[in-house]
Amino acid sequence: AYLRGRTATGLSPAARYIVYACYLGACLANENGVTLIGLLVAVELTLSPAPGDLRAQFASLRDTWVVLLSIAAAVLLARTEVVGSLAGDSPHLVIAHADFPERILTMLPVALEWLRLLLWPLRLQIDYGPREIMPAHGFGPAQGLGLALLALLVGGVVWAWRRRPVLAVGLVWAGIGLFPVSNLLLKSGVLVAERTLFLPSIGVMLGLAAAAAAIGDWGPGARRAAVIVGLVGTGLGLARTTLRQPDWNNNSVLYRRMTIDAPEDYRGHALLASDLFWHGRRAEAMQQMFVALALYPEDPANWSDTADFYRAMGQCDWAMPLYHRAIAIDRKQANVRARMASCLMRLGQFNAARQELQALIAEGFGQFQFLLPAVDSAARAVNSVPRP
């Protein structure tokens, strides 16, 4: 709609309203929709039919940019109000305490995973976590390869900007689509997640199509070869998708698959443990959780979830040390501390339970105020029982 409606004096009214509506819909569907502004800038610089210098070119679209930026600001402000922060997620454990240089060093090797998944996604897994991607504190071969890949992509954009503009747009599109999950601007909750590659994959496909068109210019033989390679690649992709689909049938199947695809990823074992426990298979659940704890004991959720298992089984004396371990790693876990207070109450330690809840309330977690009467009521009930 943008390219069809672009004229020497701006966008046609019909095109403007279509772009505004699509942009608002994209932003409300997923926060990655905000990046459409960057994509339109890339399109304007490469494919726009408007003549003139860049300043005049962008000045003719001033009103359009103002409206799009206003939509982006409104959506991001609303989202921040709802989820509590702009990033909207707890930082991934690997980069939670990393400074900016360490984030760059950690993410550079991830660029190689992006390339593999976008071009040849034979090996797939739901989660990529510690033990597979570890925090980096220095520059090594993996960082060198990641930096070389990024330099190659930048060089490709520069080369293709005027020669093959669709290729340039495709490469820029992929970069812009990856930027929100690159952990450069903000710390996000993922390092690699295949679900974050849908938007970048559009740019990669544009780039591959442009490359195929360029190869087709070499002659009929090259054109046929490009078509054959494209068809074979598409067929293999469809086959891989078909084989992968059953893994998403339900959570029980999915979590089991995680432990098969990435046996050293602790989150798969932890998620499977929770699923097994709440389906009544408690012995198997505890076994999977112990595997998760052995693989990565630094995640407080592993300890608190295990404590929750014991609490659900009425074994708060076993749960308390695990709650303490989780809180020692991260004291900001308000819900974990509230569940620990519940265990303290069950153990008859009413003063300790009251103190923990009062500390939570004093720290700004007023939602737990309603639990104090329950503690006092339980304490009165116990104290009213005649002593033998």
Side-chain angles (χ1 to χ4, degrees), residues 63-116:
D63 294 344
T64 301
W65 301 125
V66 168
V67 173
L68 292 175
L69 288 170
S70 299
I71 292 172
V75 169
L76 291 177
L77 284 173
R79 182 176 184 276
T80 301
E81 180 67 24
V82 171
V83 302
S85 68
L86 184 59
D89 203 349
S90 299
H92 195 284
L93 286 169
V94 169
I95 57 170
H97 304 292
D99 56 24
F100 184 68
E102 288 173 337
R103 294 210 313 266
I104 293 177
L105 291 171
T106 300
M107 293 303 296
L108 277 174
V110 171
L112 303 174
E113 286 293 322
W114 289 337
L115 181 68
R116 178 185 67 80

Side-chain angles (χ1 to χ4, degrees), residues 8-317:
T9 57
L11 275 181
S12 67
R16 276 205 306 273
Y17 295 129
I18 291 173
V19 170
Y20 297 158
C22 289
Y23 187 50
L24 178 60
C27 291
L28 293 176
N30 188 285
E31 58 271 20
N32 277 4
V34 172
T35 62
L36 178 64
I37 290 181
L39 303 178
L40 292 180
V41 170
V43 167
E44 178 66 26
L45 291 173
T46 52
L47 301 175
S48 172
D53 61 79
L54 288 179
R55 181 176 298 181
Q57 194 172 332
F58 279 90
S60 66
L61 294 166
R62 184 181 295 110
D63 294 344
T64 301
W65 301 125
V66 168
V67 173
L68 292 175
L69 288 170
S70 299
I71 292 172
V75 169
L76 291 177
L77 284 173
R79 182 176 184 276
T80 301
E81 180 67 24
V82 171
V83 302
S85 68
L86 184 59
D89 203 349
S90 299
H92 195 284
L93 286 169
V94 169
I95 57 170
H97 304 292
D99 56 24
F100 184 68
E102 288 173 337
R103 294 210 313 266
I104 293 177
L105 291 171
T106 300
M107 293 303 296
L108 277 174
V110 171
L112 303 174
E113 286 293 322
W114 289 337
L115 181 68
R116 178 185 67 80
L117 288 167
L118 287 166
L119 293 182
W120 193 247
L122 180 62
R123 182 176 65 83
L124 298 171
Q125 61 192 70
I126 285 82
D127 185 64
Y128 295 75
R131 296 179 67 92
E132 293 187 315
I133 301 174
M134 296 299 290
H137 305 289
F139 195 89
Q143 283 74 24
L145 287 173
L147 188 61
L149 172 62
L150 295 177
L152 183 63
L153 291 175
V154 171
V157 171
V158 172
W159 177 86
W161 201 258
R162 295 302 178 191
R163 298 177 180 87
R164 295 285 174 178
V166 175
L167 174 59
V169 169
L171 294 175
V172 171
W173 185 311
I176 291 174
L178 287 166
F179 183 75
V181 291
S182 66
N183 293 300
L184 297 180
L185 182 62
L186 296 170
K187 294 180 181 179
S188 73
V190 298
L191 295 178
V192 180
E194 290 154 11
R195 64 185 181 276
T196 66
L197 301 181
F198 290 125
L199 181 60
S201 71
I202 299 173
V204 173
M205 292 304 104
L206 281 174
L208 289 178
I215 292 173
D217 292 343
W218 298 348
R223 191 177 300 114
R224 282 194 295 270
V227 170
I228 291 171
V229 170
L231 290 173
V232 170
T234 302
L236 291 172
L238 287 169
R240 184 70 182 97
T241 297
T242 303
L243 294 172
R244 183 67 168 176
Q245 279 298 107
D247 296 338
W248 294 85
N249 184 58
N250 56 55
N251 282 345
S252 298
V253 173
L254 181 66
Y255 298 154
R256 180 74 68 180
R257 189 70 218 181
M258 289 177 73
T259 64
I260 297 171
D261 289 341
E264 293 206 347
D265 182 2
Y266 78 95
R267 288 193 72 243
H269 296 281
L271 290 169
L272 178 60
S274 292
D275 186 73
L276 290 169
F277 186 87
W278 301 117
H279 280 88
R281 299 165 64 178
R282 294 182 171 181
E284 294 176 73
M286 297 305 292
Q287 183 181 23
Q288 288 293 330
M289 188 56 81
F290 291 148
V291 172
L293 285 167
L295 286 171
Y296 198 72
E298 288 81 8
D299 188 346
N302 286 348
W303 298 101
S304 62
D305 287 349
T306 310
D308 289 343
F309 294 168
Y310 283 120
R311 183 171 69 97
M313 292 186 291
Q315 298 174 330
C316 275
D317 50 340

Side-chain angles (χ1 to χ4, degrees), residues 369-388:
Q369 181 78 41
F370 79 98
L371 292 175
L372 285 175
V375 175
D376 295 335
S377 176
R380 285 194 300 270
V382 170
N383 292 332
S384 66
V385 176
R387 301 286 180 179

